[in-house]
Structures are given as C-alpha cells and as structure tokens.
C-alpha cells in the first residue's frame, strides 16, 4: 500500500555557480518531511535499482535543456508518483538504501546533526519514559529502546506505534499523526511547529479484538489497559453507567485482564476519536465528532437546530475516499511545514442502492485516511487467515497524500487509488518562482 507522500510545492533557487535549481518540498501525512533536489532523488533511485532491479517504478528522466512550466509540473508530478509507488514494496521500506537516504535528508533539511539525545516518550497514563537515543534513530529503533525499558515483547512491537500528540491545558489531547517506521522522532517532533506537541506511545490497530494477541505479555496488557482508562476518561470510549461502575471496581482491584475483557463491550472502545470538525451531512456546515474503528466510521452530527444525530458508516460499504487540500501552501518564509489547515476528506458510500459522497472538513484528514486504510489492511489479513489460498502481503504503512482514493474490501483484488490535488484557485503563490501541481497515483 502506498504512503501519504506528496510534493505540493517546489521552488526555483539560485545555486553557487549563478544558475538555478529546483528544490522540492516533500510532505508526509501533512507534515513537511524533507526538501530535496532532483539530483539527490536520481542518485537514490540508481542505488535502489542496483539492489532491487527492474521492480522499481519509473523515475522521471533528466532534461538537458531548460524546463518549461509544463515540464516542471510534469516532473514534480512524476516524482510524487515515484515516492508513492516506491513505498508499495515492504521489502523496499525495510532496506538500508531506502531508510538511510530518508534519514539523511530529514536531518539535512532541518539542520540537525547526528548526536546523542534524550527523547521523552509519553504513555497513556501521562507518565513519560526517557529514551536515550541518537537524533538519527528511526521510529523502529526508538520503539526497540522503549520496549526494552518497559519489558514489552519485541514480537509485539508491530501492534504499537509512535504518534505526534498535541496536549491541551484542559486535559484534552489531539492525535496529529502516526509516525512512519523510517521517520526520525527527534526530528519530526522539533520540526512539527505544533504547540505543546509530544511523542506518545499508543496501540496501532483498529480492530479491538486484536487485544487478544497481547494478553500473554504483561507490559503489553499494561499499555492497552492504560490507554483504555485514558480513552474512557477522555470520553473517546463511552461506557454505560452500569459498565462504568463495573470498570471502576475492576480498576480499584487492578484487575487489568477483566477490565479489558469488559471494555470490549463498551461503545467505541479501541476507536480513534478526531477533534470536532464539520461535514456536509445532512446539510453543509453541520458540526461532527468522528470515532473510527472496528470497521466503521461513527459520526455524532450536530444539526442546525442543535439536535444531534448519530450515524454509522460501515467500511464494507465505502467504495473509495480522497483527501483535498483547500488552503495556501506558501507564506513569506517559503513552504509551510504542515498542510493541516483547510483539508477535506470525502468518501463514497453506498446507501439505498446508490453511491453518495460524504464530505468531512478536518485538519486530521490524513490521520483519518490512515485509520481507514488500517481497517482495510486488518480486514484483508483476517480474510487471508480465514482463506489460506489468498496470497496477500500488506505493508504496515499506507497511502499517499493528496487525493487518497481507496477501494474498500469489496473485492479481493484490491486497488488503491490515491491522489492529492490542491485547489489552485485558492493557492497563494509566493514571489519566488514556485511550481504547484497535483498528484495522481494508482497502487496495489
């Protein structure tokens, strides 16, 4: 599956010899990931090709004459597609050639050198673990360090992830993004430009029944137990009064296993809740709170008369979705580091034997898209387990940035159609010579 890579903006800058070169701003999940030149990506592609051969996607060719605007648009579009398509192969994602290059460009972009550092990793109960790492350590490496400190079985690391989480004074929190395995948490945190942002450890699966896979590891049980308590306190999970009384009694006894067993019956247990947003259903401008998990999108919608309406969208009736950026990409200092303003996610849904589009306006559109893809991935893995004849390999990360259009699990030969296209009429172009374009991708 593809990842949310995009290159929404590039800049023409002067070089040391008096010429000009193009600097591409690469974003991942809505956050600036790195800035690179074509020549850097070209050398990287050559290194990857020596290892993986012809299985690589096509790389845009060199131009030996000056590029027109149309040619520059085409190259950026091709580079974008290349970054998306090269992440489809899980073996590529794990290769040293792939990871080492992305580590280097992350460090170089934000002017950070490799050195020893301490990184606080926050747990769901509010405590933090101080991990002694290198600034160049990836998420995968940091998770290994943390797991060693808390006694988490290494074979269970795939059920957990590191997230950028924004904490508010009133005790609320907002999950901003899931960090990819090859990202550098130290760099991502310092480059995020999000106030009161921290790196948090949370479970990363959308099917609550997968709790059963962790029950033989005491540290894993403790982690999901802490997260269950936090989700109930934050009202992400919504127990009935009777359930709450039983859960409080089990919490006093510190009976973590029984607590988690009962939590399975709680509404929205194990779901990811997004910040309040707006939607176009049943009419434009309605407020909405979304909870995503267990193969559904649960929406609590506030109507114009302040009444609420709860609606559930089952993932097996979602055909595809797309994310669109509606705002400006540039300011006086160059490309912004986040694309989390003025984002919309729309998905096509089957209702009453016809397909309809449901539009959500949320700064967490990329996180929502990742959750939707995660649910589909888990469903495909479960189907493969139930039907051994199915040969499916699902990489951990997925999707691409801008427009993500994805097929649901209605057929076993799934495709992932994603693209991200800024609304050009709403884009502000800076004084520097910049080129803005679209991404289109077809995956799986």
């Amino acid at each position: 599956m593809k990842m949310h890579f995009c290159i929404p903006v590039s800049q023409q800058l002067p070089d040391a010899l008096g010429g000009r070169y193009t600097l591409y701003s690469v974003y991942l999940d809505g956050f600036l990931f790195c800035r690179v030149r074509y020549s850097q990506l070209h050398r990287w592609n050559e290194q990857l090709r020596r290892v993986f051969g012809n299985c690589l996607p096509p790389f845009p060719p060199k131009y030996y004459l000056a590029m027109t605007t149309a040619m520059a648009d085409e190259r950026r579009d091709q580079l974008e597609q290349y970054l998306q398509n090269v992440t489809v192969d899980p073996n590529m994602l794990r290769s040293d050639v792939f990871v080492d290059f992305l580590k280097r460009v992350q460090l170089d972009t934000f002017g950070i050198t490799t050195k020893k550092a301490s990184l606080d990793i926050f747990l769901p109960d509010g405590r933090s673990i101080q991990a002694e790492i290198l600034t160049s350590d990836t998420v995968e490496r940091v998770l290994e360090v943390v797991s060693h400190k808390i006694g988490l079985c290494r074979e269970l690391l795939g059920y957990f992830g590191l997230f950028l989480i924004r904490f508010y004074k009133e005790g609320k929190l907002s999950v901003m993004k899931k960090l990819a395995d090859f990202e550098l948490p130290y760099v991502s945190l310092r480059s995020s430009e999000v106030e009161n942002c921290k790196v948090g450890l949370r479970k990363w699966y959308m099917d609550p029944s997968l709790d059963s896979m962790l029950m033989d590891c005491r540290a894993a049980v403790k982690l999901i137990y802490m997260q269950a308590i936090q989700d109930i306190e934050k009202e992400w999970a919504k127990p009935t009064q009777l359930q709450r009384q039983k859960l409080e009694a089990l919490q006093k006894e510190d009976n973590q296993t029984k607590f988690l067993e009962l939590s399975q019956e709680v509404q929205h247990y194990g779901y990811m809740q997004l910040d309040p947003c707006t939607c176009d259903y049943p009419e434009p401008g309605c407020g909405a709170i979304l909870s995503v998990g267990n193969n559904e999108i649960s929406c609590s919608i506030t109507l114009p008369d302040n009444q609420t309406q709860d609606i559930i969208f089952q993932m097996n009736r979602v055909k595809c979705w797309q994310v669109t950026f509606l705002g400006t990409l540039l300011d006086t200092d160059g490309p912004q580091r986040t694309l989390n303003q003025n984002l919309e996610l729309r998905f096509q849904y089957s209702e009453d034997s016809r397909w309809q589009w449901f539009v959500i306006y949320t700064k967490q559109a990329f996180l929502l898209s990742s959750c939707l893809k995660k649910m589909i991935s888990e469903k495909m893995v479960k189907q493969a387990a139930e039907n051994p004849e199915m040969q499916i390999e699902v990489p951990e990360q997925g999707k691409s940035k801008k427009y993500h259009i994805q097929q649901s699990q209605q057929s076993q030969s799934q495709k992932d159609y994603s693209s991200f296209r800024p609304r050009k009429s709403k884009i502000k172009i800076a004084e520097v010579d910049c080129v803005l374009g679209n991404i289109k991708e077809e995956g799986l």
Side-chain angles (χ1 to χ4, degrees):
M1 291 183 180
K2 300 178 183 179
M3 304 192 69
H4 299 96
F5 272 117
C6 74
I7 308 176
V9 59
S10 61
Q11 296 171 274
Q12 293 287 329
L13 301 174
D15 62 24
L17 301 177
R20 296 176 72 82
Y21 67 92
T22 302
L23 190 65
Y24 297 96
S25 295
V26 179
Y27 289 75
L28 176 62
D29 293 329
F31 288 76
L32 180 63
F33 180 75
C34 67
R35 296 189 180 101
V36 291
R37 298 175 63 167
Y38 170 87
S39 58
Q40 292 175 281
L41 294 172
H42 185 273
R43 287 193 296 269
W44 181 46
N45 173 69
E46 292 299 311
Q47 293 170 345
L48 288 170
R49 197 166 296 279
R50 284 195 288 269
V51 177
F52 294 99
N54 294 328
C55 66
L56 283 172
F59 190 81
K62 286 185 176 181
Y63 292 124
Y64 295 95
L65 299 175
M67 289 191 298
T68 64
T69 300
M71 294 167 66
D73 282 345
E74 182 181 21
R75 170 175 281 186
R76 188 185 59 255
D77 184 66
Q78 291 171 340
L79 288 172
E80 214 167 39
Q81 293 181 49
Y82 175 83
L83 288 174
Q84 294 167 4
N85 291 327
V86 82
T87 60
V88 170
D89 185 352
N91 294 320
M92 198 91 66
L93 293 172
R94 291 190 290 265
S95 70
D96 290 340
V97 175
F98 182 92
V99 174
D100 289 347
F101 173 78
L102 295 182
K103 286 170 60 174
R104 186 169 63 254
V105 294
Q106 287 177 79
L107 290 167
D108 291 347
T109 294
F110 300 106
I112 296 175
T113 58
T114 298
K115 60 182 180 181
K116 292 182 179 179
S118 295
L119 182 65
D120 289 330
I121 306 297
F122 284 80
L123 303 179
D125 64 353
R127 295 182 298 116
S128 66
I129 294 175
Q130 190 173 76
E132 301 301 325
I133 62 166
L134 296 176
T135 55
S136 57
D137 280 343
T138 63
V139 164
E140 187 174 25
R141 172 58 184 160
V142 174
L143 278 174
E144 290 175 352
V145 172
V146 172
S147 68
H148 179 73
K149 294 198 73 168
I150 64 177
L152 178 64
C153 302
R154 290 191 61 176
E155 60 268 23
L156 300 179
L157 284 179
Y159 293 94
F160 295 89
L162 296 182
F163 296 78
L164 287 184
I165 303 175
R166 184 175 184 182
F167 291 84
Y168 297 90
K169 292 181 179 179
E170 57 270 26
K172 296 182 180 179
L173 62 85
S174 173
V175 179
M176 306 302 296
K177 69 169 291 188
K178 159 77 167 56
L179 295 174
D181 285 347
F182 54 78
E183 283 190 80
L184 312 182
Y186 182 91
V187 177
S188 297
L189 178 62
R190 277 148 185 78
S191 64
S192 66
E193 293 188 339
V194 177
E195 187 178 3
N196 297 322
C197 190
K198 301 175 183 178
V199 177
L201 177 66
R202 296 178 61 85
K203 65 182 183 182
W204 178 232
Y205 51 89
M206 309 305 295
D207 181 355
S209 69
L210 290 176
D211 279 2
S212 62
M213 305 298 293
L214 312 179
M215 302 310 291
D216 292 334
C217 176
R218 180 178 298 180
V221 170
K222 187 173 182 179
L223 283 174
I224 61 177
Y225 171 69
M226 288 189 295
Q227 185 169 328
I229 292 174
Q230 182 190 59
D231 288 353
I232 292 172
E233 290 176 348
K234 305 299 182 187
E235 299 184 349
W236 288 17
K238 301 172 176 60
T240 63
Q241 184 175 358
L242 180 59
Q243 287 174 334
R244 186 181 296 275
Q245 292 172 351
K246 292 180 179 179
L247 288 169
E248 289 175 349
L250 292 171
Q251 186 177 350
K252 288 180 180 179
E253 299 171 3
D254 197 29
N255 193 331
Q256 299 178 8
T257 301
K258 290 293 185 182
F259 186 99
L260 291 170
E261 289 177 359
L262 179 56
S263 296
Q264 293 283 333
E265 304 172 12
V266 173
Q267 182 185 23
H268 295 167
Y269 169 72
Y271 286 40
M272 179 77 75
Q273 182 169 303
L274 305 187
D275 297 344
C277 56
T278 58
C279 66
D280 71 343
Y281 182 90
E283 58 184 273
C286 290
I289 295 179
L290 272 63
S291 297
V292 189
N294 203 21
N295 287 313
E296 67 180 30
I297 308 169
S298 178
C299 304
S300 178
I301 299 172
T302 302
L303 304 175
D305 59 3
N306 288 326
Q307 292 187 346
T308 59
Q309 177 181 347
D310 294 330
I311 182 169
I312 294 176
F313 298 95
Q314 299 292 339
M315 283 301 296
N316 60 5
R317 295 169 65 184
V318 174
K319 181 180 181 182
C320 58
W321 67 86
Q322 65 188 33
V323 173
T324 309
F325 176 64
L326 307 173
T328 60
L329 292 172
L330 298 171
D331 55 28
T332 55
D333 297 323
Q336 298 170 358
R337 292 192 179 182
T338 61
L339 299 179
N340 62 1
Q341 302 299 321
N342 300 317
L343 289 171
E344 73 170 29
L345 183 145
R346 59 176 62 211
F347 60 88
Q348 197 172 17
Y349 189 78
S350 175
E351 186 174 25
D352 299 328
S353 300
R354 61 192 180 95
W355 294 103
Q356 300 184 61
W357 285 98
F358 184 88
V359 183
I360 303 164
Y361 302 94
T362 170
K363 63 183 180 181
Q364 295 167 295
F366 289 110
L367 175 66
L368 173 56
S369 179
S370 295
C371 291
L372 300 185
K373 173 157 274 189
K374 188 67 173 176
M375 287 192 288
I376 287 181
S377 298
E378 291 172 358
K379 183 70 172 181
M380 293 170 66
V381 170
K382 182 177 290 188
Q383 289 176 344
E386 295 170 352
N387 183 4
E389 295 181 359
M390 292 177 63
Q391 299 291 325
I392 299 177
E393 183 171 12
V394 181
E396 167 62 20
Q397 302 296 331
K399 290 212 78 118
S400 117
K401 209 168 182 178
K402 304 184 176 177
Y403 264 11
H404 328 338
I405 303 181
Q406 287 188 299
Q407 294 279 12
S408 73
Q409 55 271 58
Q410 293 179 354
S411 68
Q412 294 178 358
S413 58
Q414 299 229 350
K415 285 191 176 181
D416 178 310
Y417 298 99
S418 300
S419 60
F420 168 88
R421 185 174 302 131
R423 298 283 179 83
K424 293 189 177 182
S425 61
K426 296 188 179 183
I427 289 176
K428 174 184 176 183
I429 308 295
E431 292 300 322
V432 292
D433 183 10
C434 296
V435 182
L436 300 167
N438 6 338
I439 297 180
K440 297 178 181 177
E441 69 164 272
E442 296 185 1
L444 289 191

